[in-house]
Amino acid sequence: MPETTYRILMNGVTGRMGYRQHLLRSILAIREDGGVPLPDGGRLQVEPVLVGRNADKLARMADEHGIADWSTDLDAVLAEDPATIYFDAQLTTERKKAILKAAATGRHVFTEKPIAESVAEGEELVAAAEKHGIVNGVVHDKLYLPGLIKLKRLIDGGFFGQILSVRGEFGYWVFEGDYLPAQRPSWNYRAQDGGGMVLDMFCHWNYVLENLFGAVEAVTAKAVTHISERWDEEGRRYEATADDAAYGIFELAGGVIAQINSSWAVRVDRKELVEFQVDGTHGSAVAGLFGCRVQPRELTPMPVWNPDVPTAEDFRAQWMEVPDNRTFGNGFRAQWEQFLLDVHHGRPHPYDFAAGVRGLRLVDAGLRSSAEGRRIELPAR
């Protein structure tokens, strides 16, 4: 059967997320497995072209993984390379101008989030995609996680009855860099370099909430910088100018209330690094990255408040795990495969630049809420 090869310009994959999830576990894994299968027996094969600023890193990476081409000159590859897809995993501050250049050449674009630094910049990207008629997509990786897929299965099956509320806990302790090295790049804690918890995670929470429970209609948030000084990759002290935690209340269409805490200054006392508890009239569920456990109405215990007697119940033992019932692959790869199929068939990707702009609107509303100390309504979709 015929094989179609899509050459992909991958910009920014020397970074942690771009390398591990997008290059190694997605594109190279697809290449190794012979491409994405088509219903007619054909396959969509991929051929990455590495683009970035550090020639030594690019050369080593290309040699290690058998990648033929790489470049430090984005303008040159956009002008000369036959690639049909452009992918961006750069710093947020560099993203808009590179995507605009790629879109102007007619290349389809897939990008990490946030898609830009502001709503206005995001709207520029939407307009450019429409003007040039390109398939465009934004990473929505959490929708492809096993835990959230199981949660969506429960929602679609009517398990909850009427959904009342969502409570999310996300984050872990990121070391400051002096006592132990930090596990995240230092730019995440500098606002001038595109860092900040609200900018990073509210884009995620927007697409999780709108695709599972309902569009965000209003937000009340508080963004803070708990740790004001950190040490970078070279051991140099720097001032942390970006928020490292955000506490939000999100009012959703249909009356559902969501509360999500996001923090790089919290120690984990839960099964996974992110968990969402969903409570409904007929049952509740707690979903993480991989697992999802439930407590239906019929099996809900009846605890009684008595501060004079130690609690004897093991509340966590009263929940049941939702079975996998299928094999789950890497979520980033799953979305890459969907994007490649959408490009091949010339159809819109469901998670497009416009979805990315909605995420930026929530970022903007969250930051305004925190700065002004009030509830902010979002425009209707």
Side-chain angles (χ1 to χ4, degrees):
M1 286 295 187
E3 178 180 283
T4 303
T5 298
Y6 283 93
R7 196 168 165 89
I8 305 169
L9 304 178
M10 304 192 72
N11 194 0
V13 292
T14 55
R16 180 176 59 95
M17 187 66 70
Y19 174 69
R20 292 179 184 175
Q21 297 296 349
H22 291 287
L23 181 63
L24 191 63
R25 296 171 186 167
S26 296
I27 295 304
L28 293 180
I30 290 171
R31 186 182 70 173
E32 179 68 21
D33 289 342
V36 180
L38 296 170
D40 63 2
R43 302 188 78 86
L44 305 182
Q45 185 53 285
V46 291
E47 183 179 355
V49 178
L50 306 184
V51 183
R53 293 175 296 178
N54 190 312
D56 291 337
K57 286 185 179 180
L58 292 172
R60 286 196 303 269
M61 193 178 296
D63 182 65
E64 179 181 356
H65 296 293
I67 298 171
D69 298 306
W70 59 269
S71 176
T72 58
D73 191 337
L74 176 62
D75 291 336
V77 291
L78 287 174
E80 301 167 7
D81 196 282
T84 55
I85 296 173
Y86 171 77
F87 169 68
D88 196 293
Q90 299 183 96
L91 296 177
T92 306
T93 53
E94 302 297 317
R95 188 160 292 147
K96 185 198 79 166
K97 60 185 178 184
I99 291 177
L100 288 176
K101 289 178 180 180
T105 68
R107 287 177 170 84
H108 309 294
V109 177
F110 188 48
T111 181
E112 263 291 352
K113 39 61 53 196
I115 63 170
E117 293 185 272
S118 68
V119 173
E121 288 188 354
E123 289 174 338
E124 281 188 66
L125 300 183
V126 172
E130 293 175 350
K131 175 182 177 181
H132 299 292
I134 62 171
V135 178
N136 56 96
V138 180
V139 173
H140 279 40
D141 59 286
K142 288 177 175 50
L143 295 180
Y144 296 82
L145 291 170
L148 291 193
I149 292 173
K150 294 173 188 177
L151 182 58
K152 182 65 161 59
R153 187 193 305 162
L154 294 172
I155 295 170
D156 293 344
F159 169 80
F160 295 101
Q162 178 188 352
I163 294 177
L164 307 173
S165 63
V166 180
R167 181 157 47 87
E169 291 287 343
F170 167 80
Y172 48 89
W173 188 268
V174 176
F175 283 93
E176 298 91 328
D178 57 342
Y179 177 67
L180 285 173
Q183 319 90 291
R184 290 177 59 81
S186 58
W187 69 263
N188 284 275
Y189 304 96
R190 294 191 292 264
Q192 62 271 27
D193 293 331
M197 180 62 82
V198 173
L199 181 59
D200 186 7
M201 297 310 301
F202 274 34
C203 292
H204 281 299
W205 304 151
N206 185 75
Y207 71 69
V208 168
L209 294 172
E210 75 173 13
N211 283 282
L212 293 181
F213 308 106
V216 181
E217 295 183 336
V219 61
T220 304
K222 182 63 177 178
V224 297
T225 305
H226 285 306
I227 299 176
S228 60
E229 64 176 14
R230 292 180 177 270
W231 283 257
D232 66 16
E233 292 78 3
E234 283 73 45
R236 297 173 300 199
R237 180 195 168 280
Y238 67 95
E239 180 183 359
T241 55
D243 47 290
D244 58 16
Y247 308 93
I249 300 174
F250 307 91
E251 301 172 39
L252 311 185
V256 176
I257 302 298
Q259 305 170 72
I260 304 179
N261 296 327
S262 313
S263 178
W264 300 128
V266 63
R267 293 177 175 89
V268 181
D269 182 20
R270 51 187 181 271
K271 292 186 70 173
E272 304 197 52
L273 295 183
V274 61
E275 286 190 339
F276 299 94
Q277 177 163 334
V278 182
D279 291 304
T281 54
H282 291 178
S284 298
V286 177
L289 296 169
F290 299 96
C292 182
R293 54 196 188 275
V294 297
Q295 188 173 97
R297 175 171 57 178
E298 296 82 359
L299 299 179
T300 300
M302 189 181 291
V304 176
W305 173 258
N306 186 346
D308 299 318
V309 179
T311 300
E313 291 187 77
D314 183 356
F315 292 111
R316 287 186 172 177
Q318 297 166 352
W319 295 70
M320 300 178 296
E321 285 288 339
V322 176
D324 288 352
N325 289 342
R326 53 172 280 194
T327 300
F328 297 102
N330 179 278
F332 288 87
R333 174 176 174 170
Q335 190 176 357
W336 261 108
E337 291 180 349
Q338 184 175 2
F339 183 77
L340 288 165
L341 288 167
D342 291 338
V343 167
H344 185 71
H345 294 295
R347 64 196 181 200
H349 187 65
Y351 311 120
D352 57 8
F353 286 175
V357 170
R358 293 195 296 275
L360 288 171
R361 288 199 180 102
L362 183 58
V363 169
D364 181 66
L367 292 174
R368 285 176 54 207
S369 173
S370 181
E372 299 172 15
R374 65 184 182 93
R375 173 180 176 270
I376 302 292
E377 293 187 0
L378 279 81
R381 291 178 57 177

